[in-house]
Structures are given as structure tokens and as C-alpha cells.
Amino acid sequence: MTRIHIPRRGVLFGGLVAFLSGCASKFRTYSGPEVTRLRLYKAQRLLVLDGADRVLRTYPIGLGFAPVGHKQFEGDGRTPEGSYVIDRRNPDSLFHLSVGISYPNEADIAFAESQGRSPGKDIFIHGGPRRGIDPTNVRDWTAGCISVSDPEIEEIYAMVRDGTPIDIYA
């Protein structure tokens, strides 16, 4: 029987790599001040996370592929405008992680139905784009969602709780 000699450094290095890869999780913890409101400025491509007495974080964002105007119908590529709440989270998002926005509200539904159309649904703040699947050189590429980088959605996902209000401005 032939013995294979593995240097001690190789074993230690391999163990360290295995340990650190286990620590690389998309789920972060946050123990800072509570996020009391989100403000999203479409024209400035800016998301602001407010605390009780100060701005906690700001993030550059991407929008839907037709970013001007309020979302009215499914497939229009617009990002909603108005007052909503963060109402759900998706740890298995196709775009790393995502937090849901309560679009459509009653007024959105009523308007779309008056036009014989669907208002659409499933508006999220999410990571991405995923290389090779979505455009990586276009800022406004979503179907109406708000995109941030993967590290940024990890922070947002940890900081923002369901029920937090979000105001989306033109």
C-alpha cells in the first residue's frame, strides 16, 4: 500500500477555506437603529433608508425598463409611484434576495380594471442582475422592480422589516 503524504500546511489551508466558505452567507444580521421608512427617488435613482432621527443608508438603484411614470399595467416596465409598505421577503429570489412592495393597492387595481387590464404584481427590491442572464450594462433593466447590487440587498434584507412604509417618488 502506498502512503500519500499531505503537507500539514495543505490540511490547515484546506480546513480554513472550508470554514470561511461556510461563513459566506447572503443572510446578514443587523443590530443598529430601526429603519422607520424607505424613500425612493426614481429620477435620482436613489433609495434612502430612514431611522427615527437620521438617514441610515442610501443606495443607487435601477428601475424598470420604462422608468418614467407610475406603473399602471402588467408588462409596462414601469416602477410604481406612491405610498406602499414592505410586505414580504423572498430568501430564494432569482435575484439573490428580495423584499416585496405592497403594489398594487386598491387605487392601482381599480384603475387597471377600469381599463380592462391587469395592474401587475410582484414588485420587489432585489439584487442582480445575474451575469449571463440579465443585462449587466443597463441600469434600468427590471420589469418594474427596484434593483440594487447583491451586497446591497443583503444589507437591506437584514435592516428592513415587513410593515415598513416606502414612499416612491417620480
Side-chain angles (χ1 to χ4, degrees):
M1 174 187 277
T2 305
R3 284 187 77 186
I4 299 173
H5 176 71
I6 300 173
R8 185 181 309 178
R9 283 186 197 163
V11 171
L12 291 173
F13 181 73
L16 179 63
V17 168
F19 172 76
L20 291 176
S21 68
C23 294
S25 171
K26 64 183 178 180
F27 299 104
R28 298 186 189 187
T29 58
Y30 174 73
S31 58
E34 177 185 5
V35 175
T36 57
R37 174 170 304 278
L38 287 80
R39 291 178 287 135
L40 191 145
Y41 298 94
K42 289 172 56 174
Q44 289 80 22
R45 304 299 192 278
L46 183 68
L47 174 64
V48 178
L49 276 58
D50 290 322
D53 58 355
R54 66 182 172 94
V55 171
L56 301 175
R57 299 272 197 290
T58 61
Y59 302 95
I61 60 164
L63 299 170
F65 61 83
V68 176
H70 173 58
K71 182 166 193 64
Q72 296 179 318
F73 308 116
E74 184 173 7
D76 66 8
R78 294 179 179 168
T79 301
E81 296 170 3
S83 295
Y84 299 93
V85 297
I86 300 301
D87 66 351
R88 62 200 181 280
R89 40 207 339 95
N90 183 357
D92 300 316
S93 172
L94 291 175
F95 301 100
H96 197 58
L97 291 171
S98 60
V99 293
I101 296 173
S102 62
Y103 176 89
N105 61 27
E106 289 181 16
D108 298 321
I109 294 167
F111 176 78
E113 287 180 351
S114 76
Q115 304 298 307
R117 311 260 316 261
S118 166
K121 59 181 181 177
D122 292 336
I123 300 297
F124 288 88
I125 301 170
H126 61 66
R130 298 187 310 171
R131 285 203 169 88
I133 296 175
D134 296 309
T136 56
N137 60 347
V138 177
R139 174 179 249 180
D140 297 326
W141 58 271
T142 75
C145 293
I146 297 100
S147 68
V148 294
S149 72
D150 289 350
E152 290 166 343
I153 192 59
E154 290 174 5
E155 284 184 359
I156 294 164
Y157 194 92
M159 293 175 73
V160 176
R161 300 285 148 240
D162 290 358
T164 305
I166 179 170
D167 293 315
I168 304 173
Y169 303 99

Coordinates of all heavy atoms in Angstrom, one line a residue, residues 76-110:
D76 N -45.8 46.8 -18.3 CA -45.5 48.2 -18.9 C -44.1 48.6 -18.6 O -43.6 49.6 -19.1 CB -46.5 49.2 -18.4 CG -46.5 49.5 -16.9 OD1 -45.7 49.0 -16.2 OD2 -47.4 50.2 -16.5
G77 N -43.3 47.8 -17.7 CA -41.9 48.1 -17.5 C -41.7 49.3 -16.5 O -40.6 49.7 -16.3
R78 N -42.8 49.8 -16.0 CA -42.7 51.0 -15.1 C -42.6 50.5 -13.6 O -43.1 49.4 -13.2 CB -43.9 51.9 -15.2 CG -44.0 52.5 -16.5 CD -45.2 53.4 -16.6 NE -45.3 54.1 -17.9 CZ -46.3 54.7 -18.3 NH1 -47.4 54.8 -17.6 NH2 -46.3 55.3 -19.5
T79 N -41.9 51.4 -12.8 CA -41.9 51.2 -11.4 C -43.0 52.0 -10.7 O -43.1 53.2 -11.1 CB -40.5 51.6 -10.9 OG1 -39.5 50.8 -11.5 CG2 -40.3 51.4 -9.4
P80 N -43.7 51.5 -9.8 CA -44.8 52.2 -9.1 C -44.3 53.5 -8.5 O -43.1 53.7 -8.2 CB -45.4 51.3 -8.1 CG -44.8 49.9 -8.4 CD -43.6 50.1 -9.2
E81 N -45.3 54.4 -8.3 CA -45.0 55.6 -7.5 C -46.2 55.7 -6.5 O -47.3 55.3 -6.8 CB -45.1 56.9 -8.4 CG -43.9 56.9 -9.4 CD -44.1 58.0 -10.5 OE1 -45.0 58.8 -10.5 OE2 -43.2 58.0 -11.4
G82 N -45.9 56.2 -5.3 CA -46.9 56.3 -4.3 C -46.4 55.7 -3.0 O -45.3 55.4 -2.8
S83 N -47.4 55.6 -2.1 CA -47.1 55.0 -0.7 C -47.5 53.6 -0.6 O -48.7 53.2 -0.9 CB -47.8 55.9 0.3 OG -47.4 57.2 0.3
Y84 N -46.6 52.8 -0.2 CA -46.8 51.3 -0.1 C -46.1 50.9 1.2 O -45.6 51.7 2.0 CB -46.2 50.6 -1.3 CG -46.8 51.0 -2.6 CD1 -46.3 52.0 -3.4 CD2 -48.0 50.4 -3.0 CE1 -46.9 52.4 -4.5 CE2 -48.6 50.8 -4.2 CZ -48.1 51.8 -5.0 OH -48.7 52.2 -6.1
V85 N -46.0 49.6 1.5 CA -45.3 49.0 2.6 C -44.5 47.8 2.1 O -44.8 47.2 1.1 CB -46.2 48.6 3.8 CG1 -46.9 49.8 4.4 CG2 -47.2 47.5 3.4
I86 N -43.4 47.5 2.8 CA -42.7 46.3 2.6 C -43.6 45.2 3.2 O -43.9 45.2 4.4 CB -41.3 46.3 3.3 CG1 -40.5 47.5 2.7 CG2 -40.6 45.0 3.1 CD1 -40.2 47.5 1.2
D87 N -44.0 44.2 2.4 CA -45.0 43.3 2.8 C -44.5 41.8 2.8 O -45.3 40.9 3.2 CB -46.3 43.4 2.1 CG -46.2 43.1 0.6 OD1 -45.1 42.9 0.1 OD2 -47.2 43.0 0.0
R88 N -43.3 41.5 2.3 CA -42.9 40.1 2.3 C -41.4 40.1 1.9 O -40.8 41.1 1.5 CB -43.7 39.3 1.3 CG -43.5 39.8 -0.2 CD -44.7 39.3 -1.0 NE -44.6 39.7 -2.4 CZ -45.0 40.8 -2.9 NH1 -45.4 41.8 -2.1 NH2 -44.9 41.1 -4.2
R89 N -40.8 38.9 2.1 CA -39.4 38.8 1.7 C -39.2 37.4 1.1 O -40.0 36.5 1.3 CB -38.5 38.9 3.0 CG -39.0 38.3 4.2 CD -38.5 38.8 5.5 NE -37.4 39.6 5.6 CZ -37.3 40.9 5.6 NH1 -38.4 41.6 5.4 NH2 -36.2 41.5 5.7
N90 N -38.3 37.3 0.1 CA -38.1 36.1 -0.6 C -36.6 35.7 -0.5 O -35.7 36.3 -1.2 CB -38.5 36.3 -2.1 CG -38.3 35.0 -2.9 OD1 -37.9 34.0 -2.4 ND2 -38.7 35.1 -4.1
P91 N -36.3 34.8 0.4 CA -34.9 34.3 0.5 C -34.4 33.5 -0.7 O -33.2 33.3 -0.8 CB -34.9 33.5 1.8 CG -36.3 33.0 1.9 CD -37.2 34.1 1.3
D92 N -35.3 33.0 -1.5 CA -35.0 32.2 -2.7 C -35.2 32.9 -4.0 O -35.4 32.3 -5.0 CB -35.8 30.9 -2.6 CG -35.6 30.1 -1.4 OD1 -34.4 29.9 -1.0 OD2 -36.6 29.6 -0.8
S93 N -35.1 34.2 -4.0 CA -35.3 35.1 -5.1 C -34.4 34.6 -6.3 O -33.2 34.3 -6.0 CB -35.0 36.5 -4.8 OG -35.1 37.3 -5.9
L94 N -34.9 34.7 -7.5 CA -34.0 34.5 -8.7 C -32.9 35.6 -8.7 O -31.9 35.4 -9.4 CB -34.8 34.6 -10.0 CG -35.8 33.5 -10.2 CD1 -36.6 33.8 -11.4 CD2 -35.1 32.2 -10.3
F95 N -33.1 36.7 -8.0 CA -32.1 37.8 -8.0 C -31.5 38.0 -6.6 O -31.6 39.0 -6.0 CB -32.8 39.1 -8.5 CG -33.4 38.9 -9.9 CD1 -34.7 38.6 -10.1 CD2 -32.5 38.9 -11.0 CE1 -35.2 38.4 -11.4 CE2 -33.0 38.7 -12.2 CZ -34.3 38.5 -12.4
H96 N -31.0 36.9 -6.1 CA -30.2 36.8 -4.8 C -31.1 36.8 -3.6 O -31.3 35.8 -3.0 CB -29.1 37.9 -4.8 CG -28.1 37.7 -3.8 ND1 -27.3 36.6 -3.8 CD2 -27.6 38.5 -2.8 CE1 -26.4 36.6 -2.8 NE2 -26.6 37.8 -2.1
L97 N -31.6 38.0 -3.2 CA -32.6 38.1 -2.2 C -33.6 39.2 -2.6 O -33.2 40.0 -3.5 CB -31.9 38.6 -0.9 CG -31.0 37.7 -0.1 CD1 -30.3 38.4 1.0 CD2 -31.8 36.5 0.4
S98 N -34.8 39.3 -2.0 CA -35.7 40.4 -2.4 C -36.7 40.6 -1.2 O -37.0 39.8 -0.4 CB -36.4 40.0 -3.7 OG -37.2 38.9 -3.5
V99 N -37.1 41.9 -1.2 CA -38.2 42.3 -0.3 C -39.3 42.9 -1.1 O -39.1 43.6 -2.1 CB -37.7 43.3 0.8 CG1 -36.7 42.7 1.8 CG2 -37.1 44.6 0.2
G100 N -40.5 42.5 -0.8 CA -41.7 42.8 -1.6 C -42.3 44.1 -1.2 O -42.3 44.5 0.0
I101 N -42.9 44.8 -2.2 CA -43.6 46.0 -2.0 C -45.1 45.8 -2.3 O -45.4 45.0 -3.2 CB -43.0 47.1 -3.0 CG1 -41.6 47.4 -2.6 CG2 -43.9 48.4 -2.9 CD1 -40.9 48.3 -3.6
S102 N -45.9 46.4 -1.5 CA -47.4 46.0 -1.5 C -48.1 46.5 -2.7 O -49.4 46.6 -2.7 CB -48.0 46.6 -0.2 OG -47.9 48.0 -0.2
Y103 N -47.5 46.8 -3.8 CA -48.1 47.1 -5.1 C -48.8 45.8 -5.6 O -48.2 44.8 -5.5 CB -47.1 47.6 -6.1 CG -47.8 47.9 -7.5 CD1 -48.3 49.1 -7.8 CD2 -47.8 46.8 -8.4 CE1 -49.0 49.3 -9.0 CE2 -48.5 47.0 -9.6 CZ -49.0 48.3 -9.9 OH -49.6 48.5 -11.1
P104 N -50.0 45.9 -6.1 CA -50.9 47.0 -6.3 C -51.8 47.3 -5.1 O -52.2 46.4 -4.4 CB -51.7 46.6 -7.5 CG -51.9 45.1 -7.4 CD -50.6 44.7 -6.8
N105 N -52.1 48.6 -4.9 CA -53.0 49.0 -3.8 C -54.4 49.0 -4.5 O -54.6 48.8 -5.7 CB -52.6 50.3 -3.1 CG -52.6 51.5 -4.1 OD1 -53.3 51.5 -5.1 ND2 -51.7 52.4 -3.7
E106 N -55.4 49.4 -3.7 CA -56.8 49.4 -4.2 C -57.0 50.4 -5.4 O -57.6 50.1 -6.4 CB -57.8 49.8 -3.1 CG -57.9 48.7 -2.1 CD -58.9 49.0 -1.0 OE1 -59.7 50.0 -1.1 OE2 -58.9 48.4 0.1
A107 N -56.3 51.5 -5.3 CA -56.4 52.5 -6.4 C -55.8 52.0 -7.7 O -56.3 52.2 -8.8 CB -55.8 53.8 -6.0
D108 N -54.6 51.3 -7.6 CA -53.9 50.7 -8.7 C -54.8 49.7 -9.4 O -54.9 49.6 -10.6 CB -52.6 50.1 -8.3 CG -51.6 51.0 -7.7 OD1 -51.5 52.2 -8.2 OD2 -50.9 50.7 -6.7
I109 N -55.4 48.8 -8.6 CA -56.3 47.8 -9.1 C -57.5 48.4 -9.8 O -57.9 48.0 -10.9 CB -56.7 46.8 -7.9 CG1 -55.5 46.1 -7.4 CG2 -57.8 45.9 -8.4 CD1 -55.8 45.3 -6.1
A110 N -58.1 49.4 -9.1 CA -59.3 50.0 -9.7 C -59.0 50.6 -11.1 O -59.8 50.5 -12.0 CB -59.9 51.0 -8.7

